[in-house]
Amino acid sequence: MTNLDHGATAVSSRALNALLDSWRASSAPGYLALADRIRLLVLDGRLPVGTRLPSERDLCAHLGVSRTTVASAYAALRDSGHVDSVRGSGSVVRLPARASVPRPTTTDGLLDLTKAALPAVDGIAEAAQRAAGRLGAYLDDPGYDPVGRPVLREAIAERYRRRGLATSADQIVVTLGAQHAIALLARVLVSRGDRAVVEAPGYPHAFEALRGAGARLVPVSVTVDDGWDEASLMQALRRTSPPVAYLMPDFHNPTGATMPAGQRVRVLEAAAAEGTVVIADETMAEMAIDERRDAPLPMAAYGPAVSIGSVGKSLWGGLRIGWIRAERPLVDRLVRARSAGDLGTPVLEQLVVAELLGDFDRVLEARAGHLRRGRDRVVRGLREQFPSWQVPSPAGGLTTWVGLGAPVSSQLTLAARREGLLLAAGPVFGVDGAFERFLRVPFSYADSDTDRALAALRAAWDGVDGVQAPASPLLAEVV
């Protein structure tokens, strides 16, 4: 059972007609062509689970077809498990139930690309040595630090100021990475039964944290080409008045989309009108690959928003340091609530990160060069070996969100595992099993690993190409 807020959003006949595009071009009977196109929109997450479809009467009038065509299409969707007819709520999108495949208990001998991550940046060992030399000044303190060392809080605040957002050190809470920050915010801002707007596809561990706090998720579509479905996002905010909306506005994981400045303003204005706290996950914000002209400012520069950051992507995942930027009243609430889950962030790791943030521009430049080479190698290799796939070349981030052209992502990841490669299937990034036509492929690994992954994918695809029925998704610890 999932914490979905079924019926929270509805798609109008006009909007659905635009999404249906060229459904009439099919040679199949009209009702089957319509059902197949709606089913594809569900599988791709363009119609998130829980969305209420237009009434039969309204849709047939808008499409210019008989009511029998629409009724038969809805009946076919009910038979395939993609629509529920709920008294008082009409026809609601869902996905057929599926059993999960357990994650392997060991990755020995497997190339694990379920994690979009980089190796440690040069200079961490030296920074750790310098930090250890400064540790003596802190040893008279008990060492339990629920808010963060002043030197690191000021260094983080300075990064925001350099990015164009006035920030003081007392607006920063240092956490045990970004995931800890999401969970802490969820615990403070969400009560059991509350709704939370999330992106689909989106970051699966954010879904887990919000569900763990008792939230019912309201998904809103994000795509590579069009970014955020603004109309659906605004409707979700107005209809549900959620206490929180979790968004990743910069180099979104996994699509790579970046929210334009004007849209940020509109989203924050709509959220403020409903009393919704926008949690902006900016862990990817400075992971640009190509030169960014007119890059958006941090989300909070456009209106009320809480920001999350981390050095897990930029410096090293082994440095478990993240942070929350918020106004002082929320900072105080977060610090008071923190002891229920942990007693503070390690002092030595904070000192290491403070050392490294002093030369952060050089770090980001080196990371951009590494990622540019990796992205170009992966994109070129995928396009050459799989010409039927849609392979975006994102301007930032660590992954590409590949369109496979068929709902076989879970089957492909299982076949790849037999070839020695672990990947996260598309449904891992959905709220309730969508995105079987997509695969997230990291490009942050060494050339030798990339070449090995491409060869394994080629062998795996040969075994599933043309297969239409999706298998159960491979669960993975993705980052």
Side-chain angles (χ1 to χ4, degrees), residues 156 160 163 172-173 175 177-186 203 206 245-250 278-285 299-300 305-311 321-326 334:
I156 294 168
Y160 280 110
R163 294 175 58 207
I172 303 298
V173 178
T175 63
Q179 181 62 28
H180 175 228
I182 298 169
L184 180 58
L185 283 164
Y203 181 50
Y246 170 85
L247 306 174
M248 188 178 287
D250 297 276
V278 172
I279 301 172
D281 186 336
E282 297 176 341
T283 53
M284 292 286 187
M299 193 77 167
V306 175
S307 299
I308 290 172
S310 167
V311 298
I321 297 292
W323 57 84
I324 300 167
R325 181 201 179 276
L334 293 168

Side-chain angles (χ1 to χ4, degrees), residues 62-81:
H62 206 89
L63 296 181
V65 300
S66 71
R67 186 165 180 179
T68 300
T69 297
V70 175
S72 297
Y74 280 12
L77 290 167
R78 284 193 294 272
D79 290 344
S80 65

Side-chain angles (χ1 to χ4, degrees), residues 54 68 208 286 376:
T68 300
E208 293 169 1
E286 296 198 85
D376 293 348

Side-chain angles (χ1 to χ4, degrees), residues 7-95:
T9 59
V11 60
S12 68
S13 293
R14 181 184 298 275
L16 182 55
N17 187 30
L19 290 172
L20 289 171
D21 194 20
S22 56
W23 70 275
R24 287 181 173 88
S26 172
S27 59
Y31 80 95
L32 285 179
L34 179 58
D36 285 345
R37 182 61 183 173
I38 293 175
R39 187 181 296 110
L40 180 62
L41 292 171
V42 175
L43 291 172
D44 283 358
R46 300 296 299 271
L47 285 176
V49 171
T51 300
R52 188 172 70 250
L53 295 175
S55 69
E56 295 174 4
R57 184 192 303 274
D58 191 53
L59 185 58
C60 73
H62 206 89
L63 296 181
V65 300
S66 71
R67 186 165 180 179
T68 300
T69 297
V70 175
S72 297
Y74 280 12
L77 290 167
R78 284 193 294 272
D79 290 344
S80 65
H82 293 86
V83 162
D84 267 340
S85 291
V86 181
R87 180 168 302 201
S89 298
S91 298
V92 177
V93 168
R94 71 176 182 90
L95 280 165

Side-chain angles (χ1 to χ4, degrees), residues 286-305:
E286 296 198 85
M287 302 305 293
I289 299 174
D290 301 326
E291 184 178 354
R292 300 183 76 184
R293 296 184 177 90
D294 301 322
L297 300 173
M299 193 77 167
Y302 300 95

